[in-house]
Amino acid sequence: MSARRPDPLAQVSDFDIRLLRIFRSVVECGGFSAAETVLGIGRSAISQQMSDLEQRLGLRLCQRGRAGFSLTEEGREVYQSALQLLSALESFRTEVNGLHQHLRGELIIGLTDNLVTLPHMRITHALAQLKERGPDVQIQIRMIAPNEVEQGVLDGRLHVGVVPQASALSGLEYQPLYSERSLLYCAVGHPLFYVDDQQLDDARLNSQDAIAPTFRLPAEIQAHYQALNCTASASDREGMAFLILTGRYIGYLPDHYASLWVQQGRLRALKPTARFYDLSLASVTRKGRRPHLVLESFLQSLAATR
């Protein structure tokens, strides 16, 4: 039994596609000489390329010589097949480019609470740009505690999150976004509300009932809470605000979040030049995530919005 002859084009390489493009131009120009100007290469180079293609296909594609240029029967069939292949490649390129221009799919983003009052509005602007670029993109925002945001990104329930930046968890990537300042507040009705800052010594402040967050924070910020008499806790900043507004607790809140209550006379900052901390907020994504065009577009907008 004779061995089966291998398929000459079992795999189509970039080189094969280049040769087929040259072949198409030669046929459409009616010969090697006429194709020189269109292809920008000399006749001898074109002839060599055609010989390479014929060798790779194992077929005689054209007659050339004194009688002029003409296609063989096989050459005509290869020409028609080449037109179909090159047309399909162009359609593929157009469709892929269209995907970049017209995003489809969904973005599930987990946010720690009360970022909307930040003056920078980077998340809002990035979401607006994403929706402008992809009107059909479905956006889901989940307001959850920072620990749940990180876990949601890790297990794939969330595409991206925004959390206070503490120690990095293995498997996650963090990109700094904001820095916010938190001050120590009490509400109207609290015994310290009308006490002048100069009369507030550390011992008196540290003896008050206070609130501690249950989400992760950098060690240097945890020290601010360790100095207080924390008799209550909350999983997020809104829970902390609820307790502070009772007039029975003191606690730290971001100044941008507390500003409306301060303007209304319902909250005051206690010794703001001494009792404060600055916290970085970061976007968080999973390491080694699968390519996701909607997510990448959002992250690019987020990085560009300063």
Side-chain angles (χ1 to χ4, degrees):
M1 176 182 285
S2 60
R4 182 182 174 187
R5 184 175 182 268
D7 295 336
L9 283 184
Q11 294 182 340
V12 179
S13 67
D14 290 342
F15 181 63
D16 295 317
I17 293 172
R18 179 173 176 272
L19 293 179
L20 288 171
R21 292 186 189 279
I22 293 173
F23 175 56
R24 180 186 63 182
S25 296
V26 169
V27 174
E28 292 174 352
C29 290
F32 293 4
S33 297
E36 286 182 291
T37 303
V38 172
L39 294 173
I41 56 178
R43 181 174 176 176
S44 60
I46 296 173
S47 179
Q48 181 60 54
Q49 302 278 22
M50 287 299 92
S51 295
D52 290 342
L53 180 58
E54 288 177 330
Q55 184 175 0
R56 293 177 71 82
L57 294 176
L59 298 170
R60 182 72 171 175
L61 300 179
C62 57
Q63 302 290 344
R64 54 263 204 193
R66 294 181 180 180
F69 174 85
S70 64
L71 288 176
T72 63
E73 185 62 32
E74 292 82 4
R76 282 190 286 270
E77 293 188 20
V78 169
Y79 172 67
Q80 293 300 323
S81 296
L83 290 180
Q84 295 176 22
L85 172 62
L86 297 175
S87 176
L89 287 173
E90 187 59 36
S91 296
F92 175 77
R93 181 182 293 106
T94 300
E95 289 177 9
V96 170
N97 289 339
L99 289 175
H100 284 275
Q101 296 171 5
H102 305 288
L103 297 176
R104 296 178 181 85
E106 66 177 1
L107 178 73
I108 306 175
I109 178 172
L111 301 179
T112 189
D113 63 322
N114 300 301
L115 296 180
V116 72
T117 51
L118 274 164
H120 308 300
M121 301 292 284
R122 288 183 62 184
I123 297 171
T124 303
H125 293 322
L127 288 172
Q129 291 177 17
L130 176 66
K131 190 62 176 174
E132 180 179 356
R133 185 177 174 189
D136 296 327
V137 170
Q138 300 294 315
I139 299 173
Q140 296 184 37
I141 291 182
R142 299 178 183 174
M143 305 300 299
I144 48 181
N147 298 348
E148 295 179 43
V149 172
E150 289 176 308
Q151 186 57 48
V153 174
L154 272 173
D155 62 28
R157 289 181 289 115
L158 302 173
H159 295 126
V160 61
V162 177
V163 296
Q165 189 166 9
S167 57
L169 294 182
S170 176
L172 295 179
E173 293 180 343
Y174 298 81
Q175 293 296 328
L177 288 178
Y178 304 104
S179 178
E180 64 176 14
R181 173 157 293 190
S182 288
L183 303 177
L184 185 62
Y185 291 95
C186 71
V188 63
H190 192 278
L192 299 185
F193 190 79
Y194 292 109
V195 178
D196 188 88
D197 280 341
Q198 294 181 350
Q199 299 176 6
L200 288 176
D201 57 43
D202 287 342
R204 189 175 183 185
L205 274 178
N206 295 344
S207 67
Q208 305 297 314
D209 286 322
I211 309 151
T214 59
F215 50 86
R216 296 186 317 115
L217 289 169
E220 63 271 17
I221 291 179
Q222 291 177 11
H224 288 268
Y225 291 96
Q226 292 167 356
L228 299 175
N229 178 35
C230 293
T231 59
S233 64
S235 63
D236 50 49
R237 284 102 70 92
E238 187 169 359
M240 298 177 73
F242 266 110
L243 289 171
I244 294 170
L245 287 166
T246 66
R248 300 295 183 267
Y249 298 89
I250 64 173
Y252 286 95
L253 291 174
D255 56 4
H256 62 85
Y257 177 45
S259 64
L260 180 59
W261 289 310
V262 172
Q263 293 172 21
Q264 294 173 345
R266 299 179 62 190
L267 287 182
R268 65 159 289 200
L270 301 167
K271 303 188 75 170
T273 59
R275 292 295 184 113
F276 70 88
Y277 64 79
D278 294 322
L279 176 65
S280 294
L281 293 157
S283 66
V284 55
T285 53
R286 186 173 57 182
K287 291 180 180 178
R289 61 186 181 273
R290 293 181 178 178
H292 188 289
L293 194 56
V294 173
L295 172 59
E296 301 310 322
S297 179
F298 173 72
L299 293 177
Q300 289 172 8
S301 296
L302 201 57
T305 306
R306 299 292 180 181

